[in-house]
Amino acid sequence: HQGWGIVNLGTQVNPDFALRINGFIAQGGGWQERTDFTREQLRISLDNTFGRTKMTTSIMWFRDTNFWGSPQPVDAGQPVPGFEDPDENFAVQGARVNHHVIGLFNNIQTPITSNMYFENILGVTNDTQGSIRSFVTAVDGDEAESEGIALYPKEYVVYDDAHIVTT
């Protein structure tokens, strides 16, 4: 199964306020069984004008999930007996790499002169990740051993950039 879609909607609520919503989704099969992927994003933005000052505030949600496969075990360049099918997935059930991100962003621009303006960009994000992977390390007949890892890092970022722009 493969597919994707995009949506972009926007409306001018009044002369000083606009609402925008955009998002996408993509899904597809992977290179082995159980290696599908899904990517989804949604962003809602509010554009405001206060006199000559412009402000955009956005909230964003993003999810990226890739199910993980394990390479075919080989010995001397040949598939190990019992592992001849290169499309078979030898990874632990549920192996995957995830990113779940939510962010809040604010951009303010205000003129100083006719060819100069002040701009401030603020962003705050939270990325909750998950990584479960395994690799075949030894084969004995029709049995295999594997080693794996499960990590669940969390990343929090605050970004602020204030600057003056000339045109």
Side-chain angles (χ1 to χ4, degrees):
H1 68 283
Q2 302 268 17
W4 61 273
I6 298 174
V7 64
N8 286 299
L9 303 170
T11 186
Q12 193 74 34
V13 177
N14 66 47
D16 297 327
F17 180 73
L19 171 65
R20 290 181 289 142
I21 300 172
N22 56 52
F24 75 85
I25 184 170
Q27 295 182 333
W31 62 284
Q32 288 180 320
E33 64 181 13
R34 298 184 290 125
T35 58
D36 297 353
F37 73 89
T38 301
R39 289 183 188 89
E40 301 160 329
Q41 180 174 319
L42 176 66
R43 186 178 74 158
I44 301 170
S45 297
L46 307 172
D47 296 332
N48 296 286
T49 303
F50 309 99
R52 295 183 344 155
T53 299
K54 298 176 183 176
M55 181 174 76
T56 299
T57 303
S58 300
I59 187 166
M60 184 268 305
W61 172 82
F62 175 72
R63 182 178 75 158
D64 182 18
T65 301
N66 290 280
F67 290 95
W68 183 261
S70 186
Q72 177 185 40
V74 295
D75 184 22
Q78 297 299 315
V80 172
F83 298 91
E84 290 84 8
D85 184 357
D87 293 327
E88 190 172 350
N89 187 345
F90 304 106
V92 65
Q93 187 74 26
R96 68 187 177 281
V97 177
N98 287 331
H99 283 276
H100 295 172
V101 181
I102 189 162
L104 177 66
F105 308 94
N106 192 32
N107 179 306
I108 296 174
Q109 295 179 351
T110 192
I112 298 170
T113 67
S114 62
N115 64 345
M116 184 183 304
Y117 64 90
F118 171 79
E119 181 175 37
N120 188 76
I121 302 166
L122 172 67
V124 178
T125 60
N126 174 20
D127 183 358
T128 304
Q129 304 171 31
S131 179
I132 302 170
R133 303 186 220 182
S134 66
F135 304 90
V136 175
T137 57
V139 177
D140 183 16
D142 61 355
E143 293 185 12
E145 292 181 19
S146 69
E147 294 180 8
I149 188 167
L151 299 172
Y152 300 97
K154 295 180 183 342
E155 178 180 52
Y156 301 95
V157 175
V158 176
Y159 172 84
D160 190 34
D161 179 17
H163 53 269
I164 293 176
V165 179
T166 59
T167 58

